[in-house]
Every structure is written in C-alpha cells, then in structure tokens.
C-alpha cells in the first residue's frame, strides 16, 4: 500500500524529471538553427512498481547513423564531381573558339596565309605574313598548354591546403573522442560534443573518402574507405602529408622541373606510405582525378597535335625553296651521339630511308649546282650525313657540313655562295629540325625556326630551285586544311575531337553532380526530419512537461493540505 512518503517521493521525482526535460527542450529550441545540432529527447522511465512517479535518465540524441553514413558516402562523391566540374569547366573555356580567339582560328589563319602566298608568291609581304601567322598559332598553342599546366599547379596547391585542413580535423576528432570517453565514464551529457564530432566527420567527408566505426565507449575510429588506413584510432590521429613525386608519369613536360605531389600516410610506427591511389572521393579525390587523368589526356592530345603540325608542315616545307637562301644552317635538335643511327639518337622525330637534295646559288642568287644524298636513318648517324654532303661529287667545295660541340649538324656555305635544302623524301629535315619552318620537341618549345624569323623570304613556296616563285609547295601546305594527316582526321577534326571529348566529359560530370546534389539534399531533409528541431513539436513538449511539472507540484500541495487536515483532526 502506497503511503504519504511514497507519494511525496514520487511527486519530487516527477518535478525533477519534468524540470530536466524542460531544460532539454529549451536547449533544443535555443539550437534550432545551430549547424550540426541534433535534437535531444528526454529519457524518462517509471520507477519500480512499489514506487510512484518517473525517473529522468538523461537525453537521447535522435541520430540515425545509417543515414549519416549514407550522407558521408554521397558527400564524398558529390564533392569529387564538384571539384572535377570546376576545373574541367575552365578547360572547356580554354578550348573554346568563341569570338575568333581560339586555337582552331589560329590554325585556320596560318593555313590561310599559305593560301594567300600561293596566289601571289612574288609578294614578299605574304611570306612575312606566313611567319607572323605561324607565330600567332604557336602562341595560342603555348598559351593553351601553359594554362592547363597552371590549372594543375593550382590543383596541387589546393590539395596541399586541403591536406592541412584534413590533419586539423583529424586532430580535433581525436581530441573530442578523448573528452567524450572521459565524460561518458563520469555519466555526464556528451551530446553536444558528439554533435561537434559528427559535424567534423561530415566536413572530413567533403575532402576525402572515409568510413567510421563507433566503439562501445563512444569513441569513433576513422579510416580511409578504400585503403583501410586508420586516420583516427580512439584519441590518436595519424597525419597525412604531400611531397613531390618524381615517379608520377603525369609530371608536366613544360621544362620547369615542377613535379606533381603525392599524398603520404604516416602510420603509428613512423612508416610512410603512398596512399594517392586510394584517395578517390571528396574534393581531394576529384582534384587528383582531374589532375592525373583529364588534364593529362587533354595536354597529351594538344602536345601531339602540335607535334603533328610540326611534322607535316616540316615535311612539306623541306621539299621546297624560298626566294632567299642560307649561308649557314644548323639543326635544331642535338643527337645523343653523332655516330648513333638517327632513329636511335634521341631525336624527337623519326625518319624513313630517303634522299635529300641541296641547291647551290652564287652571290647573285643564280642556281649553279644541285646534288642529292641518300640516307637510311636506321643506319646513318648525323656524322654520316655530314660526310655524305662533304664527299658528294656535286658539292665541289661549295658547302661544308660539320658536327657542332653540342652534337648538331651544321651546314655552311663558302664565301660568295648560298644554299637551300629541297626534295627531302624521308623526313630527315624534320628529324633534325633543319629548314622546316616550324620546330619544337613538344608544345612548350614549339616555335618558328630562327632563320625564318630573321628572313621570312626563306619561307618555301616552290619545289623548283631554279624557279623560287612557283607556288606548288605553298599549295601543298595550304592543302592540310582538308587532308587527313593521321589517315583518318584533318587537323581541324583532331582539335574538334579534343573539344568534343571535354564537352562530353563535362556533360557527364554535370549530370552526375546534379544527381548527387539531389541525393544529398534528400538525405539532408530526411536527417532533418528525424534529427532536426521542429519548433512546433518542441513547444508542444514545453506545454506537456510544464503540465507534468504542475501536476507533480499539485500532488505535493494536496498531500501537504491532507497532512494538515489529518494533524488538525488528531489535535482536535
């Protein structure tokens, strides 16, 4: 049978429980707009059957961990696509030919200059125009390539900054783990600390692909989802760092010596591991994918196109002569060894067995002699080429070929004579960089050969050394507008394909980004429905617990009045 003491004890517990519950509800209302705050529900349990009332046992966070894990996974993918979207949009803009300022327009202008030269090869200003348009085209090539390299450098800088942020977050999570374990052991409320930790884990998911595991003591371990490397183990954080990667096959070929960075993981024993391949999610993962795949692909294709133009223009230019000739001519590229076969001597372009003709002119520009040498680049080194030139019966001492100290081929006419190279059938001129108008091992050192900058009248238009004002070579180069230089595509087709591939890639990323953005928004709404604070619901709870408090207080008051009445009756 319940006595007055039990009634007062139960009422006291009810008042305490209601007041504590009101404090929890008040905290919910105060933090309704606080980022990362999780709604708390008061935990009330009935006392034993022999007792009256309820007992306050703390507050429960309305956190749904399976939704949070899904959110982390979707965030990692979303941020990866977002990073790719930002950088690839920049590349698409660089490749654009809007307003006549793109690379395609510059190539078109260069070939137009040859078409104009073909219509009037006696006009010296048109040869100057060929050189100027070639320089404009080259400038656009270099600008495009260097801009892509700059994007990659920006990505590397951003990755470095992100890794610093990741390390800071890991240290904070480890610190919170320790506090949560300590306060939990002391039976104190750690919900606010857990909210802060959850917010940090979500932020970490935006940078890198992670997964988590919660231990019985409330601590959370964090590890890289794909590689399994532990980033936080209880109250201990393991750091990441970036360093230059000389082995990265995607390192730029711009000649600056700048190396791309890799991400290293330092384990608990001080061992350092390269984990770059395992970073596939978040902003860092998206930037790595863009840096090492998309931008490499674009840069490689731009570089290949530049090399193809150098080669096809050079092959055709070396078949003809200009109206001004050479007193001295040195090859652009150095061989690894003068006696090593040309195709094995480290030169940027290979050649085929063929022949090359040389025309000799007197001081008045009159053709006085021609001779032809035959070569096999799989057998002959540049020393052989020099010997062929010097020993040919048609030379008669007009010109002398020698190997320079930097292992280049130099041809020099004796006083009173000049010469020109023409009718190269195997591409030797391109392989050496000799009388080809355009030179360069790659897009970054793409250039007009110095001898044509000095005297544009050397630009070839005719295949006949006795009739330099003919236009068959100019027409041959202008025809590159329509010819398939790789057997399947024209120059314009190749560049248009590069543009198209980037456009398709960006379109795919935009679609995936939008889908993931919707998924994250939907998950956020679901999390807010379950974990967020609804002011309407909380105000109802205020009334509910206020009424419960008042009811418990009324029991105390009624019991007090009852006691006074009983005491009055006894006293009477």
């Amino acid at each position: 049978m319940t006595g007055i003491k039990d009634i007062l004890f139960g009422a006291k517990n009810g008042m305490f429980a209601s007041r504590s519950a009101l404090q929890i509800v008040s905290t919910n209302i105060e933090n309704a707009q606080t980022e990362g705050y999780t709604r708390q529900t008061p935990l009330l349990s009935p006392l034993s059957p022999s007792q009256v009332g309820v007992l306050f046992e703390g507050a429960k966070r309305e956190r749904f961990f399976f939704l949070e894990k899904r959110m982390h996974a979707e965030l990692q993918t979303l941020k990866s696509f977002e990073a790719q979207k930002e950088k690839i949009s920049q590349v698409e803009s660089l490749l654009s030919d809007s307003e006549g300022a793109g690379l395609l327009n510059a190539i078109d202008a260069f070939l137009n200059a040859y078409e104009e030269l073909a219509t009037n090869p006696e006009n010296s200003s048109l040869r100057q125009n060929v050189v100027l348009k070639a320089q404009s085209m080259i400038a656009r090539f270099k600008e495009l390539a260097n801009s892509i390299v700059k994007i990659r450098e920006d990505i590397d800088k951003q990755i470095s900054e992100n890794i610093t942020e990741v390390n800071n977050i890991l240290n904070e999570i480890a610190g919170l783990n320790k506090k949560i374990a300590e306060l939990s052991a002391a039976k104190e409320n750690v919900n606010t600390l857990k909210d802060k930790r959850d917010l940090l884990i979500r932020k970490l998911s935006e940078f890198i692909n992670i997964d988590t595991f919660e231990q019985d003591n409330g601590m959370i371990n964090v590890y890289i989802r794909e590689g399994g490397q532990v980033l936080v183990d209880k109250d201990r954080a393991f750091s990441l760092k970036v360093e230059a990667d000389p082995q990265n096959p995607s390192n730029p070929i711009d000649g600056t010596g700048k190396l791309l960075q890799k991400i290293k993981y330092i384990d608990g024993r001080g061992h350092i591991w390269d984990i770059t391949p395992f970073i596939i999610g978040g902003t860092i993962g998206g930037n790595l994918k863009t840096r090492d795949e998309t931008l490499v692909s674009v840069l490689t294709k731009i570089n290949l196109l530049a090399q193809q133009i150098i080669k096809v223009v050079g092959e055709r230019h070396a078949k003809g002569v200009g109206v001004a000739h050479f007193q001295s001519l040195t090859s652009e590229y150095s061989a690894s060894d003068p006696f090593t076969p040309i195709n094995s001597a480290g030169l940027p372009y290979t050649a085929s067995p063929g022949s090359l003709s040389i025309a000799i002119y007197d001081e008045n520009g009159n053709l006085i002699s021609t001779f032809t040498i035959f070569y096999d680049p799989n057998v002959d080194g540049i020393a052989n080429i020099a010997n062929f030139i010097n020993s040919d019966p048609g030379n008669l001492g007009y010109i002398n070929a020698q190997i320079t100290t930097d292992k280049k081929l130099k041809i020099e006419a004796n006083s009173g004579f000049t010469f020109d190279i023409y009718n190269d059938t195997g591409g030797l001129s391109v392989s050496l960089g000799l009388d080809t108008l355009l030179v360069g091992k790659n897009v970054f050192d793409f250039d007009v050969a110095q001898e044509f900058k000095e005297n544009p009248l050397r630009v070839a238009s005719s295949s006949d050394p006795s009739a330099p004002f003919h236009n068959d070579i100019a027409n041959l180069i202008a025809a590159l507008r329509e010819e398939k230089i790789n057997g399947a595509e024209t120059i314009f087709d190749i560049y248009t394909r590069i543009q198209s591939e980037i456009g398709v890639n960006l379109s795919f990323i935009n679609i995936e980004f939008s889908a993931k953005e919707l998924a994250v928004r939907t998950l956020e709404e679901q999390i807010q429905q379950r974990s967020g604070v609804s002011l309407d619901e909380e105000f109802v709870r205020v009334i509910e617990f206020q009424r419960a408090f008042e009811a418990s207080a009324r029991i105390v008051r009624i019991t007090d009045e009852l006691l006074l009445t009983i005491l009055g009756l006894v006293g009477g």
Side-chain angles (χ1 to χ4, degrees):
M1 184 175 179
T2 302
I4 292 176
K5 180 181 178 181
D6 293 328
I7 294 173
L8 287 173
F9 182 73
K12 183 200 73 169
N13 284 335
M15 290 173 66
F16 175 77
S18 298
R19 184 182 64 185
S20 298
L22 280 169
Q23 289 175 342
I24 297 299
V25 174
S26 175
T27 300
N28 286 341
I29 294 172
E30 290 173 1
N31 290 280
Q33 302 302 320
T34 301
E35 183 185 9
Y37 180 78
T38 302
R39 175 170 55 88
Q40 300 183 45
T41 300
L43 293 176
L44 304 177
S45 62
L47 293 171
S48 63
S50 62
Q51 295 176 304
V52 177
V54 295
L55 185 66
F56 177 77
E57 293 186 338
K60 173 189 175 185
R61 294 169 72 235
E62 296 296 339
R63 205 69 170 176
F64 292 82
F65 291 104
F66 73 96
L67 285 179
E68 280 297 319
K69 281 185 172 288
R70 282 185 57 196
M71 173 64 85
H72 297 159
E74 296 294 350
L75 266 177
Q76 291 160 24
T77 308
L78 173 67
K79 288 298 179 178
S80 173
F81 282 125
E82 184 178 54
Q84 294 177 63
K85 178 173 176 284
E86 177 189 350
K87 301 302 188 299
I88 296 176
S89 293
Q90 295 178 30
V91 176
E92 185 185 46
S93 178
L94 290 172
L95 293 173
S96 171
D97 281 282
S98 60
E99 301 179 3
L103 178 56
L104 208 58
N105 293 295
I107 296 172
D108 188 54
F110 169 65
L111 296 178
N112 277 341
Y114 261 108
E115 284 186 354
E116 292 172 0
L117 177 62
T119 63
N120 188 6
E122 295 183 2
N123 188 333
S124 59
S125 66
L126 293 181
R127 295 178 196 267
Q128 172 72 41
N129 189 48
V130 167
V131 172
L132 292 175
K133 294 304 181 183
Q135 289 176 310
S136 296
M137 175 185 68
I138 290 166
R140 187 68 189 105
F141 260 106
K142 287 184 173 181
E143 180 185 348
L144 177 56
N146 285 318
S147 295
I148 293 172
V149 169
K150 179 63 169 58
I151 293 174
R152 298 181 75 190
E153 290 174 355
D154 291 343
I155 286 175
D156 252 12
K157 181 180 179 181
Q158 185 178 351
I159 288 172
S160 182
E161 293 170 351
N162 289 161
I163 290 297
T164 298
E165 292 184 68
V166 165
N167 286 332
N168 290 337
I169 292 172
L170 295 176
N171 286 324
E172 287 189 65
I173 292 173
L176 287 170
N177 267 348
K178 183 177 182 180
K179 289 181 182 178
I180 288 169
E182 291 172 348
L183 293 176
S184 295
K187 305 298 183 182
E188 295 189 34
N189 190 329
V190 294
N191 289 342
T192 300
L193 294 178
K194 287 186 174 181
D195 283 345
K196 185 176 181 181
R197 185 180 63 186
D198 286 347
L199 194 61
L200 287 170
I201 291 173
R202 185 180 289 195
K203 185 176 181 182
L204 186 62
S205 297
E206 296 181 4
F207 289 117
I208 197 170
N209 44 297
I210 61 163
D211 210 340
T212 59
F213 173 76
E214 184 167 3
Q215 302 184 48
D216 293 338
N217 60 1
M219 290 189 179
I220 283 185
N221 283 5
V222 182
Y223 54 92
I224 295 174
R225 191 178 64 233
E226 274 63 34
Q229 292 82 9
V230 177
L231 299 176
V232 176
D233 181 16
K234 301 175 184 176
D235 60 351
R236 186 177 182 186
F238 299 94
S239 61
L240 305 178
K241 70 173 185 176
V242 295
E243 64 178 42
D245 182 10
Q247 304 303 319
N248 193 323
S250 303
N251 280 322
I253 55 173
D254 57 358
T256 62
K258 292 181 179 178
L259 300 175
L260 298 175
Q261 297 183 112
K262 56 186 173 183
I263 301 173
K264 306 297 282 290
Y265 167 76
I266 306 171
D267 68 14
R269 298 181 179 179
H271 298 145
I272 301 176
W273 309 90
D274 180 5
I275 61 168
T276 310
F278 300 120
I279 309 301
I280 62 173
T283 299
I284 297 176
N287 276 331
L288 285 172
K289 182 177 178 63
T290 304
R291 187 195 74 176
D292 293 344
E293 295 181 23
T294 307
L295 296 185
V296 170
S297 176
V298 175
L299 193 55
T300 299
K301 289 168 183 173
I302 293 297
N303 182 60
L304 179 60
L305 178 58
Q307 292 174 324
Q308 288 174 306
I309 290 175
I310 290 168
K311 193 171 190 299
V312 296
V313 171
E315 287 172 345
R316 298 180 184 211
H317 190 274
K319 292 183 182 298
V321 298
V323 297
H325 313 294
F326 302 97
Q327 205 284 320
S328 177
L329 189 59
T330 303
S331 64
E332 180 72 18
Y333 316 120
S334 298
S336 59
D337 182 89
F339 298 97
T340 298
I342 287 166
N343 282 349
S344 304
L347 297 165
Y349 305 97
T350 58
S352 302
S355 62
L356 178 146
S357 298
I358 297 178
I360 309 296
Y361 301 87
D362 64 18
E363 59 186 3
N364 297 315
N366 298 313
L367 179 68
I368 59 174
S369 178
T370 63
F371 64 92
T372 299
I373 64 168
F374 295 87
Y375 57 82
D376 184 346
N378 298 309
V379 176
D380 300 317
I382 59 172
N384 298 76
I385 303 301
N387 182 55
F388 294 158
I389 293 172
N390 292 333
S391 61
D392 192 279
N395 186 348
L396 299 177
Y398 296 122
I399 60 175
N400 178 61
Q402 58 183 299
I403 307 303
T404 65
T405 56
D406 54 352
K407 301 173 185 175
K408 295 180 178 181
L409 176 66
K410 181 178 181 179
I411 305 173
E412 193 167 19
N414 291 321
S415 178
F417 302 100
T418 57
F419 68 94
D420 219 326
I421 293 172
Y422 72 104
N423 198 29
D424 180 2
T425 63
L428 176 66
S429 295
V430 172
S431 182
L432 302 180
L434 199 67
D435 190 21
T436 57
L437 181 64
L438 306 178
V439 292
K441 296 179 180 180
N442 55 57
V443 68
F444 296 101
D445 60 6
F446 193 5
D447 205 353
V448 173
Q450 184 62 33
E451 53 266 23
F452 298 99
K453 294 178 185 177
E454 293 171 355
N455 188 353
L457 293 179
R458 292 169 173 163
V459 170
S461 65
S462 171
S463 63
D464 186 350
S466 64
F469 290 116
H470 284 183
N471 65 357
D472 56 335
I473 296 300
N475 278 324
L476 194 64
I477 295 175
L480 288 170
R481 181 189 306 280
E482 304 295 337
E483 289 187 22
K484 294 176 172 57
I485 64 172
N486 61 1
E489 298 171 299
T490 67
I491 292 173
F492 298 96
D493 291 337
I494 294 170
Y495 188 70
T496 302
R497 173 170 50 80
I498 297 171
Q499 289 177 314
S500 177
E501 288 172 355
I502 280 294
V504 170
N505 191 5
L506 183 58
S507 177
F508 167 77
I509 288 171
N510 281 329
I511 292 171
E512 292 297 315
F513 174 78
S514 297
K516 293 302 176 183
E517 194 174 39
L518 177 60
V520 167
R521 189 163 57 246
T522 302
L523 279 171
E524 185 61 43
E525 290 171 357
Q526 292 175 353
I527 290 171
Q528 283 301 312
Q529 287 173 2
R530 292 165 171 77
S531 303
V533 176
S534 167
L535 292 178
D536 290 340
E537 291 181 11
E538 298 306 318
F539 285 133
V540 169
R541 288 186 179 187
V542 167
I543 296 171
E544 175 187 343
F545 292 122
Q546 182 66 39
R547 292 290 185 266
F549 181 87
E550 291 171 356
S552 296
R554 184 175 298 173
I555 289 173
V556 173
R557 188 171 62 251
I558 291 172
T559 304
D560 180 56
E561 291 173 355
L562 180 60
L563 282 172
L564 289 175
T565 301
I566 293 172
L567 289 173
L569 291 174
V570 172

